[in-house]
Amino acid sequence: MKFQLKNIVAVLFMALALISCSDNDDSTTVNELDGLTKFQEMTNTTHTIELYSHTGVLVQGYNEVKLRIKDNATNQYIKNATVSWMPVMHMAMMNHSCPNSEVEKITTEGTLYEGYIMFQMAQNDTEYWDLKIDYSIDGVDYTTTSVIDVPASAKRTVNTFTGTDGVKYLVAYVEPHHPSVALNDMKVGVWKMQDMMTFPVVDGYTLKIDPRMPSMGNHSSPNNVHATQTSTGELYNGKLSLTMTGYWKINLQLAKPDGTIVKGEEITDTVTASSIFFEIEF
């Protein structure tokens, strides 16, 4: 009887230990794809590249894009690739690219790589975007190119213009993704066109913001903070005050480090909107 009781206790102890270990393992498991939706696959004879975003689509404007590379022979995902990309708009008379970041690995042991692409134009019946991805694995180079779907944004989120200094600038809305009646963290991107394929980040400028509600007497809001950089090569951060739901026009002025305005107008009693602006509605 004692022998049987000891055996039962030992079995229960082992079962509890296994459950505890299983619980611990589950708690440390991270789902890399949590919150992401695959919107396209690109293939060559060796690999399949899966493209992901939080919305499951691309759109005219700023896009955060994540990808992973699957070996077609083993179905295993590659963890040690070096990746770059080049988006290209194909037009009747010319081709051009758009602002885009380097592609970086998110975590050492993970399989996801990430970056951003800011499409300043939408596709149409005769003009289209494709994406070329070059990558290297263990010293071997690979490439694949595929047409991608970039429909027009429902609201104005991109401004492309030539400043008073003769430079062509691109300014894009990034965040908040889900604006609310509050003082929202705001993020924007500012780039310039160096040539048709090169669009570096503009450093040290200020993007002045003045949100207005045209349908409500064009009233503004308090405590807005103009967007500036915290470090070179990065996006710009500010504060966007929204006092009620509805349609807002975020009037913009782009200023150089010395304060010179290269584009945009200050809102006054007679000037009700700037020539550069974003639109949001919530």
Side-chain angles (χ1 to χ4, degrees), residues 56-191:
V57 295
L58 296 174
V59 70
Q60 177 189 9
Y62 182 91
N63 297 263
E64 295 175 349
V65 180
K66 295 178 172 59
L67 64 86
R68 59 180 185 171
I69 305 167
K70 183 173 69 175
D71 188 308
N72 292 336
T74 65
N75 285 329
Q76 298 298 308
Y77 289 95
I78 306 300
K79 297 182 178 181
N80 63 333
T82 301
V83 185
S84 64
W85 54 24
M86 176 59 73
V88 175
M89 163 60 87
H90 296 265
M91 305 179 70
M93 301 299 293
M94 64 178 180
N95 297 338
H96 65 80
S97 187
C98 61
N100 61 92
S101 71
E102 295 182 353
V103 183
E104 299 179 344
K105 187 78 178 297
I106 297 179
T107 63
T108 302
E109 294 303 318
T111 63
L112 280 176
Y113 304 76
E114 67 177 352
Y116 70 74
I117 303 174
M118 200 290 286
F119 300 104
Q120 68 269 44
M121 297 176 60
Q123 65 195 31
N124 56 46
D125 292 340
T126 59
E127 300 169 334
Y128 66 93
W129 288 93
D130 66 24
L131 181 63
K132 180 184 180 186
I133 298 181
D134 295 313
Y135 57 103
S136 176
I137 303 170
D138 297 328
V140 181
D141 295 331
Y142 304 91
T143 189
T144 183
T145 304
S146 180
V147 173
I148 52 177
D149 192 29
V150 184
S153 175
K155 293 288 187 291
R156 184 167 178 170
T157 61
V158 181
N159 293 268
T160 303
F161 54 88
T162 300
T164 56
D165 55 359
V167 175
K168 189 167 185 178
Y169 294 96
L170 304 93
V171 176
Y173 179 93
V174 178
E175 293 179 3
H177 296 303
H178 305 289
S180 61
V181 178
L183 187 61
N184 298 263
D185 290 330
M186 186 180 188
K187 187 170 290 188
V188 299
V190 183
W191 303 267

Side-chain angles (χ1 to χ4, degrees), residues 156 158-159 247 249-252 274-279:
R156 184 167 178 170
V158 181
N159 293 268
Y247 171 81
K249 178 178 283 188
I250 307 169
N251 297 283
L252 308 171
S274 177
S275 55
I276 55 173
F277 59 88
F278 298 137
E279 295 176 299

Side-chain angles (χ1 to χ4, degrees), residues 182-184 210-211 219-225 239-243 248:
L183 187 61
N184 298 263
D210 187 349
H219 73 73
S220 187
S221 58
N223 304 317
N224 293 284
V225 177
K239 295 287 185 180
L240 174 63
S241 176
L242 302 173
T243 55
W248 288 83

Side-chain angles (χ1 to χ4, degrees), residues 12-29:
L12 289 174
F13 180 82
M14 291 177 64
L16 289 171
L18 289 172
I19 292 172
S20 177
C21 289
S22 176
D23 289 344
N24 288 338
D25 289 343
D26 289 343
S27 66
T28 59
T29 300

